[in-house]
Amino acid sequence: MSVAAAMADLPGIEWLTDPALVRQKSRDFFWYSPVLRRQLNRVTGEAVAVPKDEREVADLLAAAWRHDVPVTARGAGTGNYGQAMPLRGGIVLDLSAMDRVLWTKPHAVRVQPGARLIDLDAATRAAVGGELRFHPSTKRTATIGGFVAGGSSGIGSVTWGTLREAGNILGLRVLTCEAEPRALELRGPEIQQVNHAYGTNGIITELEMPLAPAAEWIDLAAAFPTLMQAARFADAFTRLDGVVKKLACVVGAPIPQDHFRNLGAAVPAGHSVALLMVAAPFLDDVLPLLAPFGGALLRQVPTEEAEVPLYEHSWNHTTLQVLKTDRSVTYLQTLCPAPDHLARIAALEARFGDEVPLHLEFVRLGGEVCAFALQLVRFSGEERLAEIIAGVEAEGCPVFDPHAFTLEAGGMKRVDEAQLRFKRMTDPKGLLNPGKMAAWDDPEWRPGRPQAIHLFETNLPAPAEEPG
Ligand code: FAD
């Protein structure tokens, strides 16, 4: 493999080669996990390419093929599973300069992958009065390509489910990594071959996303004497099908009091909170629902006017708010499946207590209401963390292990045959984000099987703003 030879073939592309900058662009939010921090802290690419259009991406992929160089795509680097980290070195493909909106229609937008979600929402609001159905809590920084390739759900999933639900991605244009890269247009069920594949089986150069009518969103926060009262309220709120809503988050005591700088002082001791986003015309239908569940309103403010919007206390931002003041905490990502999700939540609370404070996101999946738990974990060692994960799964709640960097171990713990087949066709040399699809490296992969992985590393110091 020769990165230098690939670079020499492509003098017209913008390259970044300063080792400190390359290392910075080789990192994401993997450090959320003490396990990934231990494993990946010294990983780096060797150069960063910043293409300005699809032609340059195709030229780069052809050069990577010729010189056997790994290529790891990158949007904004906010993934929290090490998705965008170039485990085997090579080229980091920074797509942030490809950020144009290509067209907008009343119910859909076509866009390049590097568009930031906040800019995309602003553009579609202005053009057609529409907005993305849902976005990650990193809306202000993350890109649409990175969300589809590396994320799953977020603010709006209370109504629309995850990116896996049919209709939540309308089209993807994907470049293959071959001697002569091809552009493939995927629609309908074919999209799942590339959705959440970490850029291991194609580089997305265009996305077509559905839009919902843009709303005037109101942040509502309410306190409840117990976590289960807040959870039952959030469940009932999610079932108000006539109410336009975007967020139904529950955070258990004492996390809001101890860690929510902008809200914590208002939360009574021992109380848990529900954080909601409701479209303004529907407030009269939501507010009366608080009292029957023991809830008291703490905040009601237009999302646009909030100093820190409530969505930046939800989804993976809850963990970030905690990490700002307590570096000893880590987290899990779990599904509490329907129809017993409330019973499972109660069981998790009883089993782990304050060692695993609960944070819940209520969603509608396949037409059914259920909850994701993004629990905080008071970290006391990797062995105990593994015991906790086993205990959560014993309560019937699958864990999408955020302490694992492969698609399979971090996901449903099974090989996605469709994504693997697609990779054989689109990336026959295995150059795209190598090391992330376990079944590519080890066809016998199964949960728990240790994976031999050699990393491309540096001894440069880690950027100062990250813990550890
Ligand atoms: P990156 O991190 O740069 O990339 C993500 C993955 O996509 C990588 O594997 C990368 O190789 C691949 N990729 C990027 N661009 C392309 C492309 N054009 N073609 C092919 N592959 C590509 N996730 C959620 O789903 N919901 C949330 O609410 C959420 N909240 C978060 C909050 C915080 C504080 C943090 C740190 C993370 C959160 N995440 C969430 C995870 C992450 O923010 C999302 O996955 C986000 O959408 C990633 O976007 P990005 O532009 O930063 O992508």
Side-chain angles (χ1 to χ4, degrees):
M1 125 176 167
S2 168
V3 173
M7 288 176 68
D9 284 0
L10 304 167
I13 291 186
E14 181 183 345
W15 290 99
L16 308 177
T17 52
D18 172 68
L21 190 54
V22 173
R23 186 187 198 197
Q24 200 178 344
K25 294 261 184 194
S26 300
R27 298 166 77 80
D28 58 16
F29 280 68
F30 74 105
W31 50 263
Y32 261 41
S33 158
V35 181
L36 296 185
R37 193 187 308 155
R38 173 177 60 72
Q39 292 174 328
L40 305 184
N41 199 27
R42 292 194 294 127
V43 161
T44 188
E46 293 153 86
V48 179
V50 192
K52 58 182 179 306
D53 54 32
E54 188 184 88
R55 182 69 261 156
E56 289 192 350
V57 178
D59 290 346
L60 184 128
L61 292 170
W65 166 276
R66 277 194 301 280
H67 301 290
D68 292 324
V69 175
V71 175
T72 300
R74 179 180 182 86
T78 65
N80 47 299
Y81 283 69
Q83 292 104 312
M85 296 183 70
L87 302 187
R88 310 256 167 90
I91 295 169
V92 173
L93 177 58
D94 177 348
L95 289 143
S96 58
M98 286 175 58
D99 63 352
R100 275 190 310 121
V101 174
L102 301 170
W103 54 249
T104 322
K105 293 180 187 168
H107 296 289
V109 62
R110 188 148 177 118
V111 63
Q112 292 184 324
R116 280 191 311 160
L117 298 164
I118 193 164
D119 299 332
L120 184 52
D121 261 0
T124 54
R125 268 183 179 254
V128 290
E131 61 184 21
L132 288 173
R133 287 176 170 177
F134 55 97
H135 60 78
S137 59
T138 44
K139 173 179 176 174
R140 294 208 240 195
T141 46
T143 65
I144 185 69
F147 181 41
V148 166
S152 63
S153 44
I155 292 88
S157 293
V158 66
T159 303
W160 297 101
T162 72
L163 288 168
R164 285 257 169 213
E165 310 284 314
N168 279 340
I169 307 170
L170 299 174
L172 294 179
R173 184 174 164 93
V174 176
L175 287 190
T176 64
C177 187
E178 298 174 281
E180 290 182 21
R182 290 170 292 149
L184 308 176
E185 181 78 26
L186 306 180
R187 301 195 76 83
E190 295 171 345
I191 286 168
Q192 302 310 330
Q193 298 171 121
V194 174
N195 174 25
H196 199 82
Y198 291 1
T200 56
N201 57 11
I203 301 300
I204 302 167
T205 56
E206 292 180 17
L207 305 94
E208 205 172 304
M209 301 299 288
L211 299 176
E216 181 195 341
W217 294 108
I218 307 294
D219 279 5
L220 291 181
F224 294 79
T226 68
L227 177 100
M228 284 314 297
Q229 280 169 294
R232 286 192 196 97
F233 163 79
D235 183 74
F237 167 74
T238 304
R239 291 174 198 277
L240 295 178
D241 286 339
V243 168
V244 176
K245 57 179 104 56
K246 218 163 178 177
L247 183 67
C249 167
V250 169
V251 186
I255 297 301
Q257 291 88 342
D258 291 352
H259 300 288
F260 287 0
R261 196 168 48 85
N262 286 277
L263 188 68
V267 185
H271 282 50
S272 296
V273 295
L275 310 177
L276 314 176
M277 282 173 71
V278 182
F282 301 90
L283 286 174
D284 292 344
D285 292 290
V286 174
L287 294 174
L289 194 64
L290 289 172
F293 290 90
L297 189 65
L298 298 174
R299 176 190 287 186
Q300 176 179 333
V301 62
T303 305
E304 280 293 299
E305 293 171 21
E307 191 192 338
V308 181
L310 282 185
Y311 72 72
E312 290 187 358
H313 296 74
S314 75
W315 291 87
N316 280 320
H317 262 81
T318 313
T319 309
L320 186 59
Q321 298 292 355
V322 177
L323 282 169
K324 282 180 186 170
T325 49
D326 184 352
R327 298 279 164 91
S328 70
V329 166
T330 186
Y331 72 127
L332 294 179
Q333 300 200 172
T334 303
L335 175 65
C336 301
D340 308 322
H341 51 288
L342 289 172
R344 293 180 206 271
I345 290 164
L348 292 177
E349 189 188 25
R351 183 164 182 155
F352 296 108
D354 191 51
E355 187 183 13
V356 186
L358 281 170
H359 156 211
L360 309 165
E361 298 291 345
F362 283 79
V363 297
R364 201 173 259 291
L365 279 189
E368 297 210 62
V369 173
C370 62
F372 288 116
L374 288 83
Q375 308 95 314
L376 283 310
V377 176
R378 300 193 194 280
F379 183 67
S380 57
E382 292 185 24
E383 214 170 292
R384 177 62 190 148
L385 184 61
E387 281 170 16
I388 292 171
I389 290 174
V392 171
E393 296 206 315
E395 298 294 350
C397 300
V399 175
F400 312 103
D401 185 0
H403 308 284
F405 56 77
T406 62
L407 277 162
E408 295 90 337
M412 291 303 286
K413 303 195 181 55
R414 59 174 167 71
V415 175
D416 186 325
E417 294 293 345
Q419 292 192 346
L420 179 61
R421 257 196 318 276
F422 195 68
K423 184 173 172 71
R424 288 196 189 105
M425 197 251 295
T426 55
D427 180 27
K429 284 191 175 181
L431 296 171
L432 295 179
N433 207 351
K436 300 289 172 50
M437 191 184 274
W440 179 267
D441 295 311
D442 174 7
E444 303 298 309
W445 184 88
R446 58 182 184 279
R449 187 171 158 106
Q451 200 188 350
I453 179 99
H454 55 275
L455 301 175
F456 190 88
E457 298 182 329
T458 171
N459 280 323
L460 283 174
E465 71 273 15
E466 291 171 10

